[in-house]
Amino acid sequence: MTTTPVHVTVTGAAGQIGYQLLFRIASGQLLGPDTPVVLRLLEIEPAMKALEGVVMELDDCAFPLLAGIEATSDLKHAFTDTNWALLVGSIPRKAGMERSDLLNVNGGIFKPQGRAIAENAASDVRVLVVGNPCNTNCLIARSNATEVPADRWFAMTRLDQNRAETQIAKKVGVGVAEVKNLVIWGNHSSTQFPDFANATVGGLAVPAAVKDDAWLRGDFITTVQKRGAAIIEARGASSAASAANAAIDTVVGLTTPTAPDDCVSVAVTSHGEYGTPEGLTFGLPVQVDAAGAWHVKEGFAIDEFAAERLKITSDELLGERDDVRQLGLI
C-alpha cells in the first residue's frame, strides 16, 4: 500500500452528486485499493451542518483507505496540498435565467476556485470539473489559474459516453463492454455529438453492427443529448448517481493506460485538433500511455455529417467563451 495519502478535494460535497461520490472515493474506487486518501470537502456555509452529517457517515463506514477528512467552507483550506480537485458544486440553470446569467453566477464560483487551486494545491494537481456548464466553468477556472498547466484541466463528458455506449449496446443486444472507441465531441450540452461512426461493437464498426442509419443519425443522438432532461422529468431530480459514477470513470480513465482500440471521452484544452477552436475546453478522444501521460487520439474520420455537428457545438462553446470574456471572468 502507498504510504503517502493522496489529497482529493470535492466541492459541493454535501450535494446529491457529492454524496454519491464520497463513499466511492473513500472505498478506493477512484485511485485504487492500495492508495489511501485524505478527503478535503468544500461546502458553502449554509450547508456545513449537512456536511457534518456526511462526515459522520464516512467515519461510520470505517474505510481502511480513508486517512483523513477536512470539512470546510474556506477555499484555501479546501485546496491545500490537493492532488485531485473534483469541482462538483455549481449553480444549475433556473426558470427565466438567461445563459449569460448562468455563466455569470457560476463565474463567481469557479473564478475564485481557480485562484485557490493555483495558490494552494500540490504541484501535481489535476482538476476535473463536473458542475455544469462544465466545459465553460473549466475554462473560467483554468483561465484564472495560469500557473497550473493547461493539460491538467478536464471537464466531464464521460457521462454522455456512458449513456451513448449503453444505447448502442441495447440496440445491438450485447454487453456494454463490447462498445469501444466512442467519443463525445464538444460541449456537455444538447449540442454535444456522440460519434457513432468511429466506434465499434465487438470489433465491428457501429453502423455495420446496428444496421439502422436513421436511428443512429436521429433517435440515438437526441436520446443521448437529452438524457439528463429525461431523467429530471422521470425522477424529479437531476442525475446524481450516474454523474458520480462518470466522475469516477473519468479519473480512472485518465490514470489507467488505454487499450489501443479504445479511447476516453473527456473535455480537454483544445490545441486545434480536428479543426476545433484553440483554447476551448472541448470534448475530444483521449488515450493514456503506459507512463500515465494523455494525448488526443489521432485517426478519427470526420465526414460531412460529423463536421456539421462539430461546428454546432464549437459555435456554442465560442459563444460561451465570448460571454464570460465580456463578463470579465477570463
Side-chain angles (χ1 to χ4, degrees):
M1 180 180 290
T2 305
T3 56
T4 303
V6 174
H7 288 239
V8 180
T9 297
V10 178
T11 72
Q16 287 196 68
I17 296 174
Y19 186 75
Q20 296 284 340
L21 185 59
L22 296 179
F23 300 89
R24 297 185 64 176
I25 297 173
S27 71
Q29 293 182 46
L30 186 79
L31 298 173
D34 297 320
T35 304
V37 296
V38 171
L39 287 173
R40 311 191 72 88
L41 310 181
L42 179 68
E43 260 300 354
I44 58 174
E45 193 61 41
M48 288 302 294
K49 186 67 175 177
L51 184 58
E52 180 183 336
V54 176
V55 171
M56 290 178 186
E57 285 200 83
L58 285 164
D59 284 341
D60 292 348
C61 288
F63 290 115
L65 292 173
L66 186 53
I69 305 172
E70 299 289 335
T72 183
S73 60
D74 178 73
L75 284 176
K76 179 179 178 180
H77 187 57
F79 292 110
T80 295
D81 297 329
T82 199
N83 307 105
W84 269 102
L86 308 183
L87 308 187
V88 177
S90 66
I91 301 298
R93 191 166 188 165
K94 299 175 183 177
M97 182 181 283
E98 298 294 331
R99 184 177 68 175
S100 60
D101 297 329
L102 179 68
L103 294 171
N104 192 31
V105 70
N106 278 293
I109 297 171
F110 288 88
K111 183 175 181 177
Q113 286 184 2
R115 284 310 312 149
I117 290 168
E119 293 170 0
N120 300 287
S123 60
D124 66 349
V125 66
R126 284 182 279 183
V127 184
L128 172 63
V129 179
V130 176
N132 288 319
C134 64
N135 295 61
T136 298
N137 285 341
C138 185
L139 173 64
I140 293 168
R142 170 168 58 85
S143 298
N144 286 279
T146 54
E147 301 93 326
V148 180
D151 65 359
R152 305 274 191 83
W153 297 86
F154 310 95
M156 194 174 80
T157 56
R158 182 57 186 259
L159 178 55
D160 308 302
Q161 177 189 343
N162 289 347
R163 289 166 170 169
E165 288 177 348
T166 298
Q167 293 301 313
I168 288 171
K170 290 174 70 174
K171 182 73 171 179
V172 179
V174 298
V176 72
E178 295 294 310
V179 184
K180 306 285 186 184
N181 213 44
L182 196 155
V183 62
I184 304 296
W185 299 97
N187 202 4
H188 174 63
S189 75
S190 61
T191 69
Q192 65 177 264
F193 174 50
D195 184 353
F196 55 85
N198 289 283
T200 62
V201 181
L204 284 176
V206 163
V210 171
K211 300 177 182 177
D212 189 343
D213 284 346
W215 178 80
L216 285 170
R217 292 173 178 242
D219 287 348
F220 165 67
I221 293 174
T222 56
T223 296
V224 176
Q225 290 174 336
K226 299 177 180 180
R227 186 68 164 186
I231 289 170
I232 291 173
E233 182 178 355
R235 70 181 292 262
S238 61
S239 310
S242 57
N245 179 72
I248 297 284
D249 285 347
T250 302
V251 174
V252 171
L254 289 168
T255 54
T256 305
T258 314
D261 63 346
D262 208 355
C263 71
V264 177
S265 185
V266 60
V268 298
T269 304
S270 169
H271 297 286
E273 299 92 344
Y274 295 100
T276 58
E278 292 191 36
L280 297 178
T281 302
F282 199 95
L284 290 167
V286 163
Q287 284 192 314
V288 177
D289 63 25
W294 71 265
H295 61 274
V296 175
K297 186 176 181 178
E298 299 178 350
F300 276 65
I302 307 297
D303 60 15
E304 184 178 351
F305 180 81
E308 290 174 354
R309 275 136 194 87
L310 262 68
K311 184 178 187 307
I312 291 169
T313 198
S314 296
D315 287 348
E316 181 179 58
L317 282 169
L318 286 169
E320 291 182 7
R321 182 200 64 186
D322 293 344
D323 284 347
V324 297
R325 184 172 286 161
Q326 291 175 8
L327 291 165
L329 298 172
I330 64 172

